[in-house]
Amino acid sequence: MNLKNIQKLIKLVEESDIGEIEISYFMGRRIRISKHPKAAPQPQERREEKVEEKPAPPPEIDENIEEKEGLVSISAPIVGTFYRAPAPDAEPYVKVGDHIEEDTVVCIIEAMKLFNEIKAEIRGTIKQILVENGQPVEYGQTLFLVEPD
Amino acid sequence: MSSNTYDTRRILKSQKARLIGRNIIIHEVVESTSSFLKDALTRGEVSSGAVAVANIQTKGYGRFKREWVSPRGGIYFSFLIKRFKRDITPLTLVVAYSVANTIHYLTGIKPSLKWPNDILINGKKIGGVLAELVGDNLICGIGVNINTEQTALPEELREKATSVFIETGKKLDLTDALLNLIQGIDKNLTIYKNKGFLYFRDRWLSLCPRWHDVIYSKIGKEKTVSLFHDISETGTLIIVDEDGKKQLFSGEISYE
């Protein structure tokens, strides 16, 4: 799916009176664009929301952030489900503002019931956490932004 | 000797230099055999191939630390492999296949498998596999309800969980069953190490009655209906839904 085309579409929606648009076939995908700013997550629309978010992964966006703010990313070494804590009721491994060492475990990624503890491999301070607990992550997807020491 | 305890001498005699089962540590009660191995690993007390076994686990856990109820009569064990020289991801499928195969051999009843690694009899769960990677150390935990009485299972689980005894009326010798499980996993992991998951793919699918059936998959909070299309060469689940083919690396599936 072409990022520019989606951006065009978003702009069209923004400039119009349309609150929400759903196209069942757009560049081979289904897409829904909704104007409600940060509306509460609506479960039945999650698929389309995901499509909206899809443009995020391209690496150039991440690089921009890094260049601008001097931040370094910790990215997913494998594909799977991202978990911030060792158990649902446990404290997250790291929070924004936490100082981390190279061997600090920052999260778990699960693939086929194999739980991989992911280490920071960098010293610094967590500035941003880009993935929600329980969300699937792709190979190389940025999980955390870190301000190196 | 009662069939619900282990013959320690026989188990210790079985220890051999191989992938797993070099060193078998038996506990009466332990929080969880995997946490025991993790702690022992941190303290530098165990080497690759170690197996920890318990009669009872007080904090056995399944996926994402969900409790795995572990009363007497079940077999609960974990093994440690350091620096395994193959893609570790499909390993839990190989272990589940191996456990199902051993149960088949011991009882004559063929369990079925549910992706990625649940072991079922008559559609109810008798066992599960969970692995954790700590650095380059793999700790894999296995829980199988063998001689577990129905009354030992919490009422709310009885619809979903069962044991070999409940389904067959037969009680197995736990020592026999444990040694067969360990040696079966050892054999299959050795094959996996040499041949990869492709060797197991069709064997795994032959124990999966829902191949090509409708399934529900849930990743995070997203639940979708799709068709169980295949298992890939790396053990991922291939599903087909309205958007086409998709590969699942994690998540849960259900049949209804």
Side-chain angles (χ1 to χ4, degrees):
Chain A
M1 197 153 35
N2 190 324
L3 188 58
K4 271 202 185 125
N5 280 320
I6 296 176
Q7 282 168 341
K8 259 190 224 166
L9 196 61
I10 291 173
K11 215 169 161 223
L12 274 173
V13 175
E14 268 173 2
E15 287 165 359
S16 73
D17 299 332
I18 310 167
E20 187 175 283
I21 185 170
E22 180 173 348
I23 300 170
S24 59
Y25 189 84
F26 180 79
M27 310 292 293
R29 309 282 305 233
R30 183 155 50 160
I31 181 165
R32 175 183 299 194
I33 294 168
S34 165
K35 252 196 229 171
H36 314 303
K38 290 202 175 154
Q42 292 157 2
Q44 65 274 45
E45 285 176 18
R46 62 210 184 279
R47 277 163 147 271
E48 290 76 13
E49 279 172 23
K50 225 184 111 196
V51 174
E52 267 181 74
E53 285 164 15
K54 264 268 151 69
E60 62 270 17
I61 289 175
D62 294 338
E63 277 163 24
N64 285 345
I65 296 168
E66 285 163 40
E67 274 170 30
K68 246 186 256 165
E69 307 173 25
L71 301 181
V72 173
S73 61
I74 300 175
S75 50
I78 55 160
V79 182
T81 301
F82 172 86
Y83 291 114
R84 283 190 59 195
D89 51 355
E91 283 286 301
Y93 286 108
V94 289
K95 299 187 287 292
V96 171
D98 281 3
H99 188 261
I100 50 166
E101 302 285 330
E102 278 99 341
D103 60 354
T104 304
V105 174
V106 287
C107 64
I108 279 179
I109 297 179
E110 181 236 324
M112 291 183 271
K113 290 199 188 177
L114 173 69
F115 288 74
N116 290 267
E117 286 184 351
I118 308 300
K119 288 187 176 158
E121 278 162 16
I122 178 173
R123 276 174 62 110
T125 308
I126 301 270
K127 283 289 166 189
Q128 209 179 331
I129 300 169
L130 301 166
V131 186
E132 258 179 69
N133 192 48
Q135 286 303 302
V137 290
E138 301 287 330
Y139 178 82
Q141 184 175 340
T142 304
L143 308 173
F144 299 92
L145 289 176
V146 177
E147 186 177 58
D149 283 355
Chain B
M1 156 147 275
S2 144
S3 62
N4 266 357
T5 51
Y6 292 109
D7 179 346
T8 314
R9 268 181 55 198
R10 219 181 117 205
I11 290 173
L12 295 182
K13 254 174 83 180
S14 80
Q15 296 181 140
K16 259 189 215 156
R18 49 182 164 220
L19 208 51
I20 70 161
R22 286 161 182 253
N23 172 23
I24 303 176
I25 307 149
I26 304 164
H27 294 274
E28 170 61 21
V29 182
V30 76
E31 280 198 352
S32 113
T33 53
S34 283
S35 343
F36 167 81
L37 275 186
K38 238 187 192 174
D39 294 345
L41 175 71
T42 316
R43 293 193 302 265
E45 291 169 2
V46 278
S47 49
S48 191
V51 178
V53 188
N55 274 316
I56 297 167
Q57 293 187 114
T58 54
K59 277 191 190 163
Y61 55 87
R63 189 168 178 273
F64 213 41
K65 299 284 192 291
R66 264 179 225 153
E67 189 187 7
W68 179 273
V69 178
S70 318
R72 187 179 296 279
I75 293 185
Y76 318 107
F77 66 106
S78 298
F79 62 82
L80 165 73
I81 299 180
K82 291 186 176 180
R83 292 173 292 279
F84 192 68
K85 299 257 183 336
R86 258 236 185 233
D87 175 19
I88 279 181
T89 328
L91 193 135
T92 54
L93 277 83
V94 174
V95 173
Y97 164 77
S98 180
V99 170
N101 218 16
T102 300
I103 301 295
H104 185 196
Y105 165 77
L106 292 172
T107 63
I109 285 179
K110 205 169 168 180
S112 62
L113 294 173
K114 190 175 133 206
W115 187 87
N117 44 30
D118 285 350
I119 303 136
L120 318 170
I121 293 182
N122 298 330
K124 293 179 176 182
K125 190 160 167 172
I126 59 156
V129 179
L130 192 114
E132 291 164 84
L133 202 54
V134 183
D136 53 5
N137 303 302
L138 173 88
I139 292 172
C140 181
I142 296 109
V144 197
N145 299 336
I146 300 282
N147 294 339
T148 322
E149 309 261 356
Q150 189 156 41
T151 48
L153 295 174
E155 229 164 285
E156 66 273 15
L157 282 186
R158 289 181 200 166
E159 285 281 300
K160 288 183 190 163
T162 189
S163 73
V164 170
F165 170 67
I166 296 167
E167 298 302 316
T168 66
K170 272 190 262 178
K171 284 216 173 175
L172 300 179
D173 180 89
L174 279 195
T175 308
D176 255 353
L178 174 72
L179 292 179
N180 274 295
L181 285 168
I182 293 176
Q183 284 162 31
I185 293 169
D186 178 69
K187 186 191 84 187
N188 283 305
L189 286 186
T190 308
I191 296 173
Y192 173 67
K193 215 173 151 185
N194 298 325
K195 300 192 174 173
F197 185 68
L198 205 53
Y199 175 89
F200 292 96
R201 188 181 150 272
D202 290 349
R203 288 170 170 81
W204 196 98
L205 281 169
S206 74
L207 293 181
C208 186
R210 297 303 185 117
W211 188 16
H212 293 150
D213 212 341
V214 171
I215 56 164
Y216 293 83
S217 49
K218 201 174 146 203
I219 317 165
K221 284 168 194 151
E222 194 173 341
K223 198 172 180 184
T224 52
V225 62
S226 54
L227 213 59
F228 181 166
H229 181 68
D230 212 344
I231 296 284
S232 77
E233 286 174 29
T234 53
T236 55
L237 181 71
I238 313 289
I239 57 167
V240 177
D241 66 12
E242 51 182 5
D243 301 330
K245 251 189 225 179
K246 275 185 195 158
Q247 187 171 204
L248 291 196
F249 291 84
S250 58
E252 263 176 81
I253 64 166
S254 58
Y255 297 139
E256 54 195 308

